[in-house]
Amino acid sequence: MSTKKQKFQWWKWTTIILLVYTIIGGFLFDVPRLIILNETVRVLHFHVPMWFGMIILLVYSVVYSFRYLRYQREIDDIKSAAFAKIGVWFGILGILTGMLWANYTWGSPWNGDPKQNGAAIALLIYFAYLLLRNALEDPQQKARIASVYNIFAFAMLIPLLFILPRLTDSLHPGNGGNPGFNAYDLDSKLRAVFYFAVAGWTMLGYWVAQTNIKLEVIKQKIEDNYEEILKHN
Amino acid sequence: MVFMVASTALGQEKYSIDDSDYTNTNVEMADQFRAEGKIYVVVAVVLLILAGMFVYIIRTDRKAASLEKKLAEIKGLDKE
Amino acid sequence: MIEKIQSSSWYIAFLKEVKIEWRQKFTVYGIFLYMISTVFIVYLGFQVRQGVVDPVLWNTLFWIILLFSAVNAIAKSFLSESRGLMLYYFTVHSPTSFLFAKLFYHFLLFSFISILGLGIYSVILGNPVQDPLMFFLSIILGSLGFTGVFTFVSAIASKAAQGAVMMAVLGFPIVIPILLMAIKSSKNAMDGLDRAVTSGDILTLGAIDLIVWSAALMLFPFLWKN
C-alpha cells in the first residue's frame, strides 16, 4: 500500500522503442531482392515474431503451471492462464497473417506445410486447455487439473514439432531450396531488424499478459472480499 | 524457437543470401513507390496506430493500478 | 522375481482391475462390436471389392478406426468409475501404482482389440501388408501410446462435466504425434521397406510412448488429490 506513484517500468519503454524501430526498419531498410517473395520478404518482421512470441509465451505458461503444482499458489495459475491466452492470440494472428501471405506466395492459404500444421495443432491443444478451464467449477480443482493438462500437452507438443518437419518438407522460405531465410542463415541486414522485432513483439505479449494478470488478481480480491467492499460503500 | 531448432536440426537445404541479391534489377520491387516517398506515409500511419495502441494499454495499466490501490484502502479501513 | 511382482502394489491393483472388468464383460464385447461395425461401415461406404482399396488409404483408415475405438474403449477407464469406488482406491493404492495398473490393463486390452480388429479388417478389406512382423510391432507401439494418452486424458475428463466430449477435445490434439508416427511406420512395414529404414520410425514411436507414459505417471499424483 505504498503512496508512491507507480513507476513506469523500463521494459515497457524498451518494448515501445523496439516496436517503433521494427516498423521503421521493417518498412524502410534495404531487403534482398528475391524472386517470388519480392516485397513480402518484409513480412518476416511481423508474421514470424508471432510464432516465436507464441512459443515463448506458452513456455511461460507451462513454467507457471509447474510452479502451481509445486507451490499451490493461486497467483501462479492466474499467470499460467494469462500467458496461455495471449499465446493463443499470437498463434491466431500468426495463422491468419500466414494464410494471407501464403495465398499470394504459395498460391493457396493452406498448403500442408509442417510449420503451419504444427501451429494449428498447438492452437487446438490450447483451445482445449481453455475449454477445460471453463468446464471446471471449483477454482482449486480447475487450477490443478488445468496445470496438469498444460504440462502433459506441452510434453506431447515438443516431439510433434520435431516429427512434423520429418514427414514432409517445409515450404517456408529458406527451406528446401526456397529463396529466403532462416534465423541461422539470415543475412546481417535482415537480422538487424528481425531479432529486435521478435523481442519487441514478445515483450508486447508479456505486457498485455501482465495487465491481464493484474486485472484478474483484482477480480479475485473483489470476489474474496465482497462483503467488506459492500460495507465500505 | 522450437520450430527453428527442429528445422535446423534436420538440416534441410538452405538458400543463402549474398550481395548480388541486393543489387539485381531483374526482381521487381516497389521501387517507384519508394522513390516517390509515399512509403513514409505508410510508416507514419502504422506508427500512429501503434502509438494509439500503446496509449490504450498504458491507460489500462494505470486503471488496474488505481483499482489495486482502492482495494488496498478498503481492506486497510477495515483493519482499523 | 515372479514373487516380487506378485506382491507389488501395482500388480494387486491390476488384478483387481481385471476382476472388475471380468464381471462386466459386456463392455469389452461392446468395444469389439464397435470395431466390427465401424469396419463394416467403412467397407460398405467405399463399396469396394476385396483388395481393391488403395494401400495408403487402407492403412490410414485402419488407424483412424483404431483411434476411435481407443477413445471409446479407454474412456471408460475413469469416466465410468463411480465416486465411491474411487474413494476406496485412494485409501488402498498409491497413485502411481494405481495408474500403472490401469495403463497396463488397458494396454493389454487394447492391443488385443487392435490385433483382432486387424484380423477383421483384413478379412473384409484385404491385407496388403508385406512385412507382418514390423506392422504388428507398430500396432503394439501405437496401442501403447493411445493407451497412455487416453487413459490419462480420461482421468482429466472425468473431473469435468461433459466427459465424453472433453475426452475427444483434450485427447485428439495430443495423440497426433503418436498417430502420425504409427501411420508412417506401419506404412513402411506395409510397403515391405528394409528393416533398417523402418526401425528409425519404430524407435521414434517408442520414444514418444516413453514420454507419454512417464509424463502420465509423474503427473497423476496431482490429479489424485481429492
Side-chain angles (χ1 to χ4, degrees), chain A residues 192-211:
Chain A
V193 179
F194 178 68
Y195 287 163
F196 298 106
V198 169
W201 290 112
T202 308
M203 281 166 78
L204 180 67
Y206 182 81
W207 187 351
V208 174
Q210 288 303 330
T211 311

Side-chain angles (χ1 to χ4, degrees), chain C residues 35 58 62 113-123 135 139:
Chain C
M35 187 112 189
W58 181 89
F62 177 63
I113 290 172
S114 41
I115 299 292
L116 207 84
L118 177 67
I120 300 160
Y121 194 65
S122 312
V123 169
F135 196 84
I139 288 183

Side-chain angles (χ1 to χ4, degrees), chain A residues 8 68 85 90 138 140 167 185 208 226 231:
Chain A
F8 192 66
Y68 179 80
K85 273 178 203 159
F90 269 53
D138 177 60
Q140 281 197 354
L167 297 177
D185 247 22
V208 174
Y226 199 61
K231 248 191 292 174

Side-chain angles (χ1 to χ4, degrees), chain C residues 55-133:
Chain C
V56 178
L57 194 64
W58 181 89
N59 184 38
T60 310
L61 266 178
F62 177 63
W63 279 102
I64 301 290
I65 292 171
L66 278 193
L67 177 68
F68 278 88
S69 309
V71 176
N72 287 286
I74 301 167
K76 70 181 175 52
S77 64
F78 282 91
L79 286 184
S80 61
E81 212 76 89
S82 75
R83 202 163 167 78
L85 201 57
M86 284 307 268
L87 280 175
Y88 164 73
Y89 288 141
F90 294 151
T91 55
V92 188
H93 303 300
S94 84
T96 319
S97 60
F98 175 69
L99 183 74
F100 192 77
K102 280 260 184 205
L103 283 171
F104 192 64
Y105 170 75
H106 282 94
F107 165 60
L108 289 185
L109 174 72
F110 188 68
S111 31
F112 183 61
I113 290 172
S114 41
I115 299 292
L116 207 84
L118 177 67
I120 300 160
Y121 194 65
S122 312
V123 169
I124 298 182
L125 282 139
N127 187 345
V129 175
Q130 293 180 26
D131 189 346
L133 186 70

